[in-house]
Amino acid sequence: MSDEKEFDVVFLGATGFTGQLLVEYVYNRYGLTSDLKWAIAGRNQNKLESVARNVAGDDADSIPLIVTDSNSESSVTDLAQRTRVVCTTVGPYAMYGNELVKACAINGTHYCDLTGEVQWMRRMIDLYETTAQSTGAKIVHTCGFDSIPSDLGVHFAQAEMQKNHGTYAREVKCRIGETKGGMSGGTVASMMNMMEEMKTDPSLRGLLADPYSLNPVNTPPGTDKQDQMGASYDHDFRQWTAPFVMAAINTRVVRRSNALMNFIYGADFKYTESMAVGDGPAGYLKAMAIAGASVLMGLVSAFDPTRALAKPMLPAPGEGPSRETIEAGFFNIELFAKGVNKDGNAASVKVKVTGDKDPGYGATCKMLAESAICLAQDELETEGGVWTPSTAMGDVLIKRLQENAGMTFECLAVVPALDN
Ligand SMILES: NC(=O)c1ccc[n+]([C@@H]2O[C@H](COP(=O)([O-])OP(=O)(O)OC[C@H]3O[C@@H](n4cnc5c(N)ncnc54)[C@H](OP(=O)(O)O)[C@@H]3O)[C@@H](O)[C@H]2O)c1
């Protein structure tokens, strides 16, 4: 399905570590002869040609290449005018993303990315949400491992609550189970940039600590507190839990989803996220070790000298996990949703979300590509605005991810069970 635009989707950042994986997925899954009209973009023509050759071999000349500088207003405006969707892996987004979001919002072009930079998302919402609402542009951040499994996991769990108990859960606990993967230089650069920003603007500390930092302005905060810092026993999962590094992003996105749907799950809806690491003394020790490592990581990244010491040990921009690591990776997440049914009795569901390949790269590039194609081609009920993955694409994206991207969404248990 296409309107008058030259392309359905342009993949910007195609020469980066995640961008190349993304282009590979799109070429292998959709090819060049399907109904999807797509192009790749980046700031360097030679690098783009090399990516096209690596990915498509003899077909390389059939992949349209667009040279775009994401810091140039005219360059990103031209890009936004040529395509229905811009899908970008150019990060750190706080350094390179402003002009692009602005151009997409002004030109009614849908947009999706992989940012986990909460402070930058807040800025984009404040600056461009009204414009996007008026032009019809759907702007959707966090379309990778953060925050699709969490945000769509809650969406799926709540749908199961409705289906089985006729009510929404007032609390969802998300526990990250066995997961295997690596980290890229772009992700490191984004984390480092956030630390730099905090140095120049200390008020960001308050924003990042606010559990409701992405909610629409003038909406009342709920009852959730800070993210988990230490080891804690979860009686519902019967496991020890430890802090999860991406909870600081995912929890804000899930809470924004609830707020964007006029608090459909309740103004006092509670959502928490942590790692489930097993029971007994071994589980306790593991939870303590992860909690200790998280504190250490926070300290190392908080100070200039320790940050400088750590930098050479971390991947540089353009680098990331090996092919073997990407192929061998996977993730498992369980969500426990608790509420009260119409008879006033406790009612719950437990659901599971899984994915194959390294979550941050192999799985993420599939999630992002499917989000972009969903925005370009699927019938969606949402109007223009700055949305979360679940509020923009919900069930339609879940279907795509299950059919194409190696993800599963499954209901494990309904309590009390329904009599059929
Ligand atoms: N949410 C998630 O689950 C998740 C997972 C993976 C990555 N990410 C995020 O995705 C982003 C990319 O990560 P990565 O490891 O792929 O980074 P990377 O390898 O450093 O790639 C960055 C890309 O941005 C391009 N770029 C930089 N400045 C540009 C400009 N002015 N104009 C146009 N293009 C420009 C680079 O082009 P050149 O090749 O010409 O340098 C490169 O293609 C990071 O922000 C990272 O945090 C998120």
Side-chain angles (χ1 to χ4, degrees), residues 89-420:
T89 50
V90 175
Y93 291 89
M95 289 172 76
Y96 305 124
N98 297 357
E99 292 296 338
L100 183 60
V101 174
K102 181 178 164 190
C104 287
I106 290 174
N107 288 285
T109 304
H110 307 318
Y111 165 102
C112 56
D113 70 21
L114 288 181
T115 189
E117 296 152 75
V118 170
Q119 86 288 6
W120 181 69
M121 287 187 260
R122 181 73 259 169
R123 256 177 252 147
M124 296 303 98
I125 294 166
D126 293 342
L127 287 170
Y128 303 121
E129 181 159 48
T130 311
T131 309
Q133 284 165 345
S134 70
T135 62
K138 294 173 193 130
I139 309 289
V140 193
H141 301 299
T142 62
C143 291
F145 186 53
D146 41 312
S147 303
I148 279 191
S150 308
D151 193 37
L152 288 184
V154 172
H155 177 91
F156 180 75
Q158 291 286 25
E160 288 295 322
M161 282 294 290
Q162 270 295 334
K163 191 169 91 188
N164 292 295
H165 301 303
T167 186
Y168 285 119
R170 288 302 164 97
E171 177 176 6
V172 176
K173 293 175 171 187
C174 175
R175 301 292 175 247
I176 316 302
E178 218 192 333
T179 294
K180 198 166 149 196
M183 196 190 267
S184 76
T187 299
V188 172
S190 298
M191 287 158 64
M192 294 291 180
N193 182 60
M194 197 182 294
M195 292 298 161
E196 291 297 323
E197 278 200 51
M198 274 200 277
K199 232 171 57 185
T200 48
D201 180 1
S203 73
L204 286 183
R205 281 184 195 284
L207 179 79
L208 295 175
D210 176 1
Y212 297 92
S213 55
L214 293 180
N215 276 21
V217 284
N218 299 327
T219 52
T223 53
D224 277 328
K225 305 278 183 268
Q226 297 297 315
D227 303 312
Q228 182 174 330
M229 303 276 284
S232 169
Y233 190 76
D234 186 323
H235 291 276
D236 290 318
F237 281 81
R238 295 188 189 150
Q239 289 196 52
W240 284 95
T241 65
F244 179 52
V245 65
M246 277 151 44
I249 304 158
N250 297 336
T251 54
R252 278 54 171 175
V253 172
V254 167
R255 292 173 195 136
R256 177 169 173 81
S257 293
N258 183 36
L260 289 177
M261 294 184 294
N262 294 320
F263 299 97
I264 192 169
Y265 308 146
D268 56 353
F269 170 65
K270 292 177 73 60
Y271 178 72
T272 55
E273 198 165 294
S274 57
M275 293 169 75
V277 295
D279 59 3
Y284 171 71
L285 288 176
K286 197 167 173 189
M288 289 296 285
I290 294 171
S294 309
V295 172
L296 192 66
M297 217 169 76
L299 286 173
V300 168
S301 58
F303 302 104
D304 288 349
T306 42
R307 230 175 20 242
L309 275 176
K311 211 170 169 185
M313 292 179 254
L314 298 167
E319 297 174 356
S322 68
R323 284 284 161 166
E324 294 73 40
T325 305
I326 291 173
E327 290 301 318
F330 59 87
F331 65 87
N332 285 291
I333 292 173
E334 288 188 3
L335 298 102
F336 187 63
K338 306 201 265 190
V340 175
N341 66 18
K342 290 201 172 71
D343 302 327
N345 298 320
S348 63
V349 300
K350 194 182 226 185
V351 307
K352 184 170 182 170
V353 181
T354 69
D356 63 355
K357 304 205 177 179
D358 175 300
Y361 303 94
T364 278
C365 72
K366 296 193 281 184
M367 293 182 222
L368 181 61
E370 293 298 336
S371 301
I373 297 165
C374 180
L375 287 172
Q377 298 197 320
D378 293 341
E379 292 287 337
L380 299 173
E381 285 170 16
T382 3
E383 307 287 320
V386 182
W387 297 101
T388 57
S390 71
T391 52
M393 298 172 276
D395 293 336
V396 185
L397 183 57
I398 289 182
K399 185 166 180 283
R400 273 189 171 277
L401 294 172
Q402 299 209 95
E403 286 176 357
N404 303 326
M407 282 182 68
T408 66
F409 293 77
E410 182 194 353
C411 186
L412 298 178
V414 176
V415 180
L418 296 188
D419 314 325
N420 287 319

